[in-house]
Amino acid sequence: MHISKEKILLNLKSRIFSRQIHLFEEVSSTQDILRSLIVSGSPEGTIVVSETQTQGRGRLDREWVSPDGGLWFSTVLIPPFGPEAAPQITLLAALSIVQAVSDVASIAASIKWPNDIFINGKKAAGIIGEMSSHQVAIKYITLGIGINVNIPLENLPPCATSLSHETQREIPLEELLSSFLNHLDDNYSAFKVSKDLSPFMDSIRKLLLYKGKTVEISTAHGMVQGTILDIHTDGRLIMKIGDESRMLSSGEISRSDTKEGIEHGGIDR
Ligand code: BTN
C-alpha cells in the first residue's frame, strides 16, 4: 500500500499543513524525523508521514506497533502561548481525529481524556505531544498521531481496534489525513482567538469517554478513584473524589469496574 502525496493534496484545504509534506516508506519514528527537520528550519505545519515505523513510540516510551495499513504521522505547531496551552492542543488534535473519522469512515469515536481515541471500547488512535519550551513560551510542539486504519486485529495489541475492523471496509488513508489536517487547521485557528477550549466544550463534552463513570486514575501523586464530571476549558479533567471536586492535569485512566486497558495521558516534554 502506497500513500500518495497527490491524493493528500486533492482534499487538503489547509494552507499551514500543505507547506511541507514528507512521505516515507519506513522510518524509525516520524517524531524523530520531524524533530531533525525542525532543527534544520522546517516551518510550522510540516508533516512527516510514514507507511511503517520500526521504533514507533507511544507515551511513557511505550512501543507503538506501526505496521503497514496504519496512518502514522507527525506535525509541528508553534502556538503563541505558554506551556499551559499544550494539553489543550493535544485535545484539539483528539477532537480533529474524531471529526475526520466521522467524515471519512462514518463511525463515531470518543475521546478518552486526555488524548486517546476509542471506538466500541477499544483504542483506535493515540496522540503523543512533545513540547520544547523556553521559559514562559512554547518553542514548538510536535504532535505524533497514530491511527489504526486498515489493519487486521491480529496485527494489533489486544486492547486495540482498527477502522477497517469496525467498518468492515478499507478507509482511504490520504482522505483521512487531509480531513484531519483540515479540521485541525480550523480548530487551531479558532483556539488562537479564544485562547482556551471554550468554543469546543460542547463537542468535547459529548465525546468524553467515561463521563459520569467511576474510574481509577494514576497521577503523579498516586492513585485516585472518583467520578469523571467534566473537562475544564484549560483541558484539565474535573473529578469528584469523595465529597470534593478536583482538577487533574495529567493521569492514566482505567475503568475501576471493567478494568479495561490502562492508558497513560499527558504531554511529554
Ligand atoms: C499513545 O497513545 O501512546 C501515542 C501513540 C502515538 C503514535 C504515533 S505514530 C506516529 C508518531 N510517531 C511515533 O513514534 N509515535 C507517534
Side-chain angles (χ1 to χ4, degrees):
M1 177 172 327
H2 279 293
I3 300 177
S4 141
K5 192 166 174 171
E6 286 67 38
K7 286 189 185 163
I8 297 172
L9 292 172
L10 209 61
N11 297 304
L12 190 59
K13 298 192 198 82
S14 163
R15 277 200 313 140
I16 172 174
F17 296 118
S18 49
R19 288 177 184 153
Q20 280 192 25
I21 299 176
H22 301 265
L23 284 185
F24 297 89
E25 283 182 17
E26 184 170 280
V27 294
S28 51
S29 159
T30 56
Q31 285 291 89
D32 298 338
I33 307 293
L34 178 62
R35 210 176 272 231
S36 42
L37 285 167
I38 297 165
V39 171
S40 47
S42 284
E44 183 175 44
T46 296
I47 311 283
V48 175
V49 192
S50 185
E51 286 164 23
T52 58
Q53 299 182 114
T54 52
Q55 287 169 58
R57 59 170 189 275
R59 290 182 297 263
L60 284 181
D61 280 332
R62 286 176 180 145
E63 180 198 7
W64 182 263
V65 178
S66 317
D68 199 36
L71 187 53
W72 323 123
F73 67 101
S74 298
T75 189
V76 56
L77 293 177
I78 306 181
F81 303 120
E84 68 287 349
Q88 301 174 55
I89 286 167
T90 49
L91 270 169
L92 288 184
L95 175 62
S96 309
I97 296 175
V98 174
Q99 291 168 325
V101 165
S102 164
D103 287 356
V104 179
S106 310
I107 189 161
S110 316
I111 299 173
K112 178 168 173 247
W113 180 88
N115 32 11
D116 286 333
I117 304 303
F118 268 51
I119 298 175
N120 291 330
K122 288 183 149 196
K123 181 159 167 170
I127 303 164
I128 184 170
E130 294 175 320
M131 174 168 58
S132 168
S133 56
H134 180 66
Q135 291 171 357
V136 292
I138 294 177
K139 269 163 71 183
Y140 61 83
I141 296 178
T142 55
L143 291 174
I145 293 171
I147 310 180
N148 302 329
V149 186
N150 301 312
I151 308 177
L153 285 200
E154 56 269 26
N155 296 348
L156 289 170
C159 294
T161 190
S162 67
L163 302 188
S164 60
H165 176 79
E166 298 297 333
T167 57
Q168 292 299 301
R169 69 181 173 95
E170 194 150 304
I171 305 299
L173 294 177
E174 295 91 345
E175 253 182 71
L176 188 65
L177 177 58
S178 24
S179 172
F180 167 81
L181 295 171
N182 291 335
H183 281 296
L184 185 62
D185 187 334
D186 288 348
N187 294 335
Y188 181 52
S189 302
F191 177 72
K192 281 195 278 189
V193 177
S194 63
K195 301 182 175 64
D196 68 18
L197 293 174
S198 46
F200 311 98
M201 289 315 292
D202 284 352
S203 317
I204 292 176
R205 276 192 188 110
K206 280 191 201 123
L207 298 172
L208 186 61
L209 196 66
Y210 306 147
K211 187 154 177 265
K213 302 274 192 280
T214 304
V215 295
E216 280 173 3
I217 304 195
S218 104
T219 72
H221 311 287
M223 202 75 172
V224 293
Q225 194 188 57
T227 308
I228 294 185
L229 295 181
D230 203 353
I231 283 199
H232 192 271
T233 51
D234 66 6
R236 283 182 295 170
L237 191 69
I238 308 175
M239 300 276 301
K240 185 161 192 273
I241 298 171
D243 290 333
E244 290 176 11
S245 76
R246 244 174 85 180
M247 310 262 232
L248 301 183
S249 48
S250 68
E252 184 170 318
I253 297 182
S254 59
R255 276 296 296 278
S256 55
D257 45 355
T258 63
K259 290 280 178 214
E260 67 186 34
I262 295 176
E263 303 293 336
H264 168 76
I267 188 105
D268 302 285
R269 305 173 78 157

